[in-house]
Amino acid sequence: MSNYILLEHLKVQNANCIAGFTYGFPAITHFLGYTHALSRKLQQQFGIELTGCAVVCHQHQVQAYQPSGWGDYVFALTRNPLILKNGNAETAPIVEEGRMHLTVSLILESSKAFSSSQQQQLVETLTVLAQRQKLAGGQVICLKGVSLYSDDDEQALSRKLLRKVLPGFVLTDRSELLKQHYQQLIATQPNATMLDAWLNFAALTYQAVTAEDVDSSTEQHAVEWVRVPKLDKGYLVPITTGYKAISALYPAGAVANSRDPQYPFCFVESAYGVGQWLSPHRVPDVRDVVWRYRQQGPWYLCTTNTSQNALKLHPEQEAALAELPETELTYF
């Protein structure tokens, strides 16, 4: 039996929209951290463990603007109160921060069924806890409702659950497309790196195009800058998917100024992959879009199951991927 908890339409203000080299949406680790914090509280009171989380975005607004009405965007920063320094009131330094307002629905995967005697109390408890915690550093200002779902029929449960989060877009992991694109890139550019392949999903590229009826050897001419379309495989975006250890694991208290000296410490850097935004009606099985932790060796990654149903690749792409050696996600 599958068991899910739906936190419907969480409105969050001033969430962190910067994630490593990317911006525009919080890192997936924020949402799994939010789920883990809820899970620890529910385990103590109800014995329920939350093992994953699906993220559906309904609305987002990055707090940025164009100073001159065109060109690059800059973040809208807050003006902090004056500080007292040497008896004088001085302007506090501005630390650039990226903030956004967003409305999301979270589908939490539960490890056990909900007994009829605890369902009402569980809903009331989650209604309070979900709005008390911060999400991606932002304040939860509104929650439409909390619903519990349990069913042996996974397909019927998926249809019922995903219909509740329409309209919206659900984020899923498609980092296997990054591996595939990298292999295609080095076939034509032997010196290309995984970073070059990842930037093809992230960068906006333009190229100069000359009119066909102009003789470039004898005539001066103007060129037209045309935007190069990104890979036509869906609404693909670069995302931060986890971390990789870059040092040994130090004993508790061995590293000064660590966040919690009671636990072992390790230095890490961000790992990046590729995600895809899908309309929920295109997802036949909700299990395919639930993000879960995966830790192996130095890698600590958040992944979804993208090998089934509508998220399955084209047969030609599957055949190509099957011949490739196993590679890790982008790390730099």
Side-chain angles (χ1 to χ4, degrees), residues 144-214:
K144 184 177 180 180
V146 178
S147 305
L148 308 179
Y149 293 85
S150 297
D151 202 327
D152 292 326
D153 188 344
E154 190 66 40
Q155 291 186 350
L157 178 59
S158 296
R159 288 194 299 269
K160 183 189 307 181
L161 188 55
L162 293 170
R163 192 181 298 119
K164 286 279 291 183
V165 295
L166 284 169
F169 290 92
V170 58
L171 182 63
T172 185
D173 184 23
R174 297 307 301 273
S175 293
E176 77 280 358
L177 295 180
L178 175 61
K179 301 176 184 179
Q180 177 191 358
H181 179 61
Y182 174 65
Q183 294 296 327
Q184 295 173 346
L185 190 62
I186 61 176
T188 57
Q189 304 177 29
N191 295 327
T193 64
M194 185 70 84
L195 174 58
D196 296 320
W198 184 79
L199 287 175
N200 287 342
F201 293 92
L204 298 178
T205 308
Y206 291 81
Q207 66 179 7
V209 177
T210 306
E212 297 180 356
D213 56 349
V214 175

Side-chain angles (χ1 to χ4, degrees), residues 32 43 105 118 160 190-191 224 301 315 317:
L32 284 181
Q43 279 183 300
S105 291
Q118 67 177 189
K160 183 189 307 181
N191 295 327
E224 180 182 1
L301 302 174
Q317 296 175 340

Side-chain angles (χ1 to χ4, degrees), residues 7-24:
L7 304 182
E8 192 175 356
H9 285 78
L10 280 163
K11 290 186 177 181
V12 187
Q13 68 175 4
N14 295 328
N16 180 22
C17 68
I18 300 176
F21 293 152
T22 67
Y23 93 99

Side-chain angles (χ1 to χ4, degrees), residues 32-42 50 129 133 293:
L32 284 181
Y34 179 86
T35 303
H36 180 66
L38 282 178
S39 179
R40 294 185 62 179
K41 296 178 176 66
L42 295 181
L50 304 179
L129 292 179
Q133 292 184 176
Y293 295 110

Side-chain angles (χ1 to χ4, degrees), residues 110-326:
S110 174
S111 61
K112 59 179 293 187
F114 319 112
S115 63
S116 56
S117 59
Q118 67 177 189
Q119 288 186 8
Q120 183 60 33
Q121 185 181 1
L122 178 59
V123 169
E124 294 175 355
T125 301
L126 277 171
T127 302
V128 174
L129 292 179
Q131 298 179 83
R132 182 181 297 171
Q133 292 184 176
K134 285 193 171 185
L135 176 58
Q139 296 81 28
V140 178
I141 60 175
C142 181
L143 172 62
K144 184 177 180 180
V146 178
S147 305
L148 308 179
Y149 293 85
S150 297
D151 202 327
D152 292 326
D153 188 344
E154 190 66 40
Q155 291 186 350
L157 178 59
S158 296
R159 288 194 299 269
K160 183 189 307 181
L161 188 55
L162 293 170
R163 192 181 298 119
K164 286 279 291 183
V165 295
L166 284 169
F169 290 92
V170 58
L171 182 63
T172 185
D173 184 23
R174 297 307 301 273
S175 293
E176 77 280 358
L177 295 180
L178 175 61
K179 301 176 184 179
Q180 177 191 358
H181 179 61
Y182 174 65
Q183 294 296 327
Q184 295 173 346
L185 190 62
I186 61 176
T188 57
Q189 304 177 29
N191 295 327
T193 64
M194 185 70 84
L195 174 58
D196 296 320
W198 184 79
L199 287 175
N200 287 342
F201 293 92
L204 298 178
T205 308
Y206 291 81
Q207 66 179 7
V209 177
T210 306
E212 297 180 356
D213 56 349
V214 175
D215 185 359
S216 60
S217 61
T218 59
E219 300 181 28
Q220 290 186 352
H221 58 279
V223 298
E224 180 182 1
W225 287 94
V226 179
R227 182 173 173 179
V228 179
K230 292 188 178 182
L231 302 179
D232 187 17
K233 296 179 180 177
Y235 190 178
L236 302 175
V237 291
I239 58 173
T240 303
T241 57
Y243 305 95
K244 182 189 177 183
I246 58 174
S247 74
L249 184 64
Y250 297 99
V255 178
N257 301 321
S258 60
R259 177 177 294 181
D260 193 337
Q262 298 181 1
Y263 296 95
F265 184 88
C266 180
F267 290 95
V268 300
E269 285 195 0
S270 297
Y272 299 86
V274 174
Q276 182 178 13
W277 290 104
L278 287 170
S279 177
H281 79 276
R282 293 185 55 200
V283 181
D285 193 333
V286 70
R287 292 174 295 184
D288 291 337
V289 294
V290 173
W291 292 86
R292 303 177 182 88
Y293 295 110
R294 180 170 67 89
Q295 191 276 327
Q296 183 177 6
W299 294 93
Y300 177 84
L301 302 174
C302 307
T303 61
T304 63
N305 176 21
T306 58
S307 61
Q308 299 178 9
N309 304 326
L311 304 185
K312 199 171 184 179
L313 298 177
H314 188 275
E316 295 180 359
Q317 296 175 340
E318 286 184 330
L321 284 176
E323 299 175 358
L324 302 181
E326 182 66 22

